[in-house]
């Protein structure tokens, strides 16, 4: 399984990549996301609302795409459950694929998404989870914190060990790139 950090590193398309085949469109001016699926006769366009897990401690990479047909306003949105890291439909706790109310639509969406589409989903997912994590109240976290290991063994716990989608810092030198995960980003105090 890919680690989400690896997916994040690969999720930044260059300007050259933006001209490739893709079904997902992000209107940067409005922030609206849309999906176009090729049909037998004509293409179907959907407005897309992206939902992610609301638990800042969760490491899942599941995304829910709520699809509303543009040609039929007011129609109930169909939910498609995908795992952006595995680039497939999400799995339920018993390991079965989570097909939603319309299995044909769910499979069609996953089969239609290009590399660029998956990368865009990864970017949107990670931005969403980072914002949610950074704005969460630490008093509400229900986590196991290894106090004994820290106190008696001088062990350290990384910020992203507790909050897997916390803020990170990227920097590059002429021949290397680095990612720093730290609890002291965004003006936090020790």
């Amino acid at each position: 399984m890919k680690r989400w950090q690896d997916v994040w590193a690969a999720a930044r398309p260059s300007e050259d990549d933006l001209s490739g085949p893709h079904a997902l469109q992000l209107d940067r001016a409005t922030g609206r996301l849309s999906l176009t699926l090729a049909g037998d006769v004509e293409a179907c366009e959907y407005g897309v609302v992206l939902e992610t897990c609301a638990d800042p401690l969760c490491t899942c990479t599941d995304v829910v795409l709520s699809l509303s047909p543009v040609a039929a306003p007011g129609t109930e949105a169909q939910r498609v459950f995908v795992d952006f890291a595995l680039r497939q439909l999400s799995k339920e706790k018993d390991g079965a694929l989570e097909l939603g109310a319309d299995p044909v639509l769910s499979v069609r969406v996953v089969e239609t998404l290009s590399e660029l589409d998956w990368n865009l989903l990864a970017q949107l997912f990670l931005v969403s989870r980072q914002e949610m994590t950074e704005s969460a109240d630490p008093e509400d976290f229900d986590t196991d914190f290894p106090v004994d290991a820290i106190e008696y063994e001088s062990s350290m716990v990384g910020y992203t060990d507790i909050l897997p989608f916390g803020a990170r810092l990227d920097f590059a030198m002429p021949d290397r790139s680095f990612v720093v995960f730290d609890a002291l980003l965004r003006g936090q105090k020790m």
Side-chain angles (χ1 to χ4, degrees):
M1 177 186 289
K2 285 185 178 179
R3 294 176 340 143
W4 68 266
Q5 293 96 333
D6 299 330
V7 174
W8 169 256
R12 297 186 206 179
S14 70
E15 290 300 318
D16 294 336
D17 292 335
L18 295 177
S19 62
H22 53 284
L24 276 175
Q25 297 286 328
L26 176 62
D27 183 332
R28 294 184 191 276
T30 64
R32 290 192 177 140
L33 189 61
S34 64
L35 173 71
T36 303
L37 296 176
D40 294 334
V41 177
E42 62 184 50
C44 298
E45 185 177 350
Y46 296 89
V48 180
V49 175
L50 182 115
E51 302 170 42
T52 63
C53 179
D55 181 359
L57 306 175
C58 182
T59 61
C60 79
T61 53
D62 293 335
V63 175
V64 178
L65 304 172
S66 292
L67 306 177
S68 300
V70 172
T75 304
E76 184 177 345
Q78 295 294 320
R79 295 167 53 98
V80 176
F81 303 85
V82 299
D83 182 322
F84 85 84
L86 297 177
R87 298 178 181 219
Q88 66 181 25
L89 291 169
S90 296
K91 291 190 177 179
E92 298 194 38
K93 300 226 184 287
D94 65 2
L97 292 177
E98 194 163 348
L99 295 171
D102 187 341
V104 173
L105 177 64
S106 295
V107 170
R108 242 179 103 200
V109 167
V110 170
E111 289 176 349
T112 300
L113 296 178
S114 70
E115 183 74 15
L116 183 63
D117 295 324
W118 286 111
N119 288 345
L120 178 58
L121 271 182
Q123 285 180 317
L124 296 172
F125 171 89
L126 292 164
V127 166
S128 171
R129 289 295 302 271
Q130 243 182 21
E131 288 175 357
M132 184 264 311
T133 297
E134 296 303 316
S135 64
D137 183 356
E139 297 293 324
D140 295 337
F141 296 162
D142 182 22
T143 185
D144 294 324
F145 199 72
V147 174
D148 289 340
I150 294 169
E151 227 172 84
Y152 300 110
E153 299 171 18
S154 298
S155 295
M156 294 181 67
V157 176
Y159 184 61
T160 55
D161 290 341
I162 304 295
L163 298 167
F165 297 101
R168 61 183 240 170
L169 174 67
D170 298 333
F171 67 95
M173 295 174 66
D175 61 340
R176 290 188 178 184
S177 295
F178 298 92
V179 177
V180 177
F181 296 93
D182 193 295
L184 300 177
L185 292 175
R186 296 192 187 176
Q188 295 178 3
K189 296 181 181 175
M190 229 176 180

